Amino acid sequence: MELGFLNAVYTTGGPCACAYLDTSRDTESSERAMVLRRRQICAALTEQGADAATVDAVAAVAGSDRGIAGRHGQAIVAHGGQVVLTEELPQPPERDQATFTALPDLMPLAVQYAPDIRYVAATVHSLPDPQRELPDVLEVAFQAGTWPSSAVAPGDCHRATGSAVGWSSGARHAAERIVELAGRNDAETIVLSGITWARDVLADLLSTRWRRRLVTTSGDGYPPRPGRALMEDTLAEVFQGQLRTADRARLGLFLSRRTSGHGAVEGLPDVVAALRRSHVAALLLNDPVHFPAQLQVDAGAAPSDLPEAAREPYGALSFHAGPAHAAVIRAAVRTGAELVVVPQHELALADGVGALLRYAGPQRTALFARPAHR
């Protein structure tokens, strides 16, 4: 998973207000609850010393996602009276939280956005025909997205129609548009559902390349709930436990390098050491993430044996003692590392964290003390 979308947060210089809150709209009292949550978030930021302009900026966007149905959450980062990041969360946080610190913790946001699989979802359904004597009309609704973030931030929903009589003609047109959308969005897979016989005709008309990446399912999934992805429940089932193709390859490389003892590390001290040297190509995290509350490290200068170009991250990445989540995710973002979130039952990592390095040479000794576990 690419983390570049978080970069803007770390260019502000801090301090930043960072808030995670439940913005679900699944009960009749949701709006009243949102007013209370907003008030509590703002009070917490004020108590921690946040300036009034920054608190007001958070308040202005907290709960502004009224067009999204069901359970979901929101992540907000603000600095200097301006919102620098606001993202919808597919799931609400376990509890609302707000901090005003030099280093915002973006780990909960990043983990919720994994595995970041690009897809096109399409479903075939019939349209009611007021002219009953006319043949039934079939419609294909299709949408590109990145799972799971698109569950609450869907793209445009496209449609193509055709007569049920001679459906192959309408299906051919729909297949061409679906393939074009999949290619334009660099999708890894097409997930196709709906009326079985019509779905199968459409599937047969996809190009060979996309038939190899096709997943067919029963059900319809149309229409989507307001502000939610087309076929959301179906997509959740299809992508459960899956990784992006590139991330699966990174995981395989990590395992082979770990076995050989070169080019992969695990455990918080060794991963932090590799991040400080900008050696991490991919950060691996167990889900759920359970780091120590505080990261105890030596916050010394960049090692003198690094080339000048490699020392640049150290000014931004000096690992002072502090929240481990926040420091590790910042380091990954600022050094261009990618993120692979792996269920703990699939691969248990020391301290819940590992790193695939950019090279496969002998490892250096960690510069940091192993933190005490809770």
Side-chain angles (χ1 to χ4, degrees):
M1 170 181 167
E2 297 177 359
L3 296 170
F5 74 103
L6 300 176
N7 241 320
V9 173
Y10 301 115
T11 63
T12 64
C16 290
C18 182
Y20 291 92
L21 63 160
D22 185 341
T23 53
S24 300
R25 288 178 171 78
D26 55 348
T27 67
E28 293 183 359
S29 61
S30 293
E31 288 301 330
R32 292 194 300 275
M34 188 63 247
V35 171
L36 178 59
R37 290 193 178 99
R38 185 185 298 111
R39 185 182 303 132
Q40 292 172 336
I41 288 290
C42 291
L45 292 173
T46 300
E47 289 173 4
Q48 295 172 61
D51 57 281
T54 298
V55 174
D56 288 345
V58 172
V61 297
S64 59
D65 51 356
R66 292 182 178 83
I68 302 176
R71 288 178 55 76
H72 60 282
Q74 194 175 28
I76 305 166
V77 182
H79 165 75
Q82 300 291 326
V83 172
V84 295
L85 180 78
T86 178
E87 296 285 343
E88 309 306 330
L89 301 174
Q91 297 295 327
E94 291 185 5
R95 64 182 183 279
D96 293 349
Q97 54 183 297
T99 56
F100 186 65
T101 59
L103 183 59
D105 185 4
L106 301 186
M107 184 69 82
L109 169 59
V111 170
Q112 276 223 29
Y113 274 23
D116 206 44
I117 298 174
R118 295 184 179 183
Y119 68 89
V120 169
T123 183
V124 188
H125 55 274
S126 59
L127 292 178
D129 190 350
Q131 308 294 328
R132 293 184 180 276
E133 69 275 15
L134 296 178
D136 289 339
V137 174
L138 297 180
E139 179 181 75
V140 181
F142 54 103
Q143 184 180 67
T146 303
W147 186 262
S149 59
S150 56
V152 289
D156 294 335
C157 189
H158 307 273
R159 293 173 177 80
T161 60
S163 173
V165 177
W167 168 237
S168 59
S169 176
R172 187 177 303 279
H173 174 64
E176 291 172 352
R177 292 185 59 190
I178 289 170
V179 165
E180 190 275 332
L181 181 63
R184 189 168 71 240
N185 288 274
D186 196 24
E188 290 195 10
T189 188
I190 294 174
V191 182
L192 182 59
S193 70
I195 301 171
T196 303
W197 70 267
R199 177 203 68 193
D200 291 345
V201 170
L202 178 56
D204 289 342
L205 292 170
L206 296 174
S207 61
T208 302
R209 171 193 176 192
W210 290 107
R211 285 203 302 274
R212 291 172 180 164
R213 303 184 183 188
L214 178 66
V215 176
T216 57
T217 70
S218 58
D220 189 344
Y222 183 86
R225 292 178 294 165
R228 311 291 299 212
L230 178 70
M231 296 166 51
E232 180 182 353
D233 292 342
T234 295
L235 295 173
E237 293 179 7
V238 169
F239 295 135
Q240 176 67 34
Q242 298 298 310
L243 293 176
R244 291 194 312 169
T245 301
D247 288 346
R248 181 63 64 181
R250 291 185 182 96
L251 178 58
L253 184 57
F254 171 84
L255 292 172
S256 65
R257 287 186 175 182
R258 186 176 70 168
T259 300
S260 69
H262 298 291
V265 297
E266 63 179 308
L268 197 55
D270 286 337
V271 170
V272 167
L275 284 167
R276 286 196 65 208
R277 291 177 173 274
S278 194
H279 283 172
V280 177
L283 178 70
L284 281 70
L285 292 176
N286 276 154
D287 184 21
V289 180
H290 291 304
F291 283 1
Q294 296 290 310
L295 180 63
Q296 303 297 333
V297 302
D298 173 6
S304 59
D305 60 341
L306 290 181
E308 191 66 29
R311 297 189 190 187
E312 185 279 331
Y314 283 77
L317 302 182
S318 54
F319 279 80
H320 298 282
H325 287 175
V328 168
I329 196 65
R330 175 190 60 171
V333 173
R334 297 297 281 161
T335 58
E338 299 206 357
L339 177 66
V340 181
V341 178
V342 187
Q344 188 171 26
H345 65 79
E346 181 175 339
L347 173 65
L349 298 164
D351 296 331
V353 62
L356 174 67
L357 304 185
R358 300 183 192 276
Y359 66 96
Q363 310 306 328
R364 294 178 179 269
T365 302
L367 302 178
F368 310 101
R370 179 172 294 275
H373 286 278
R374 287 174 292 181

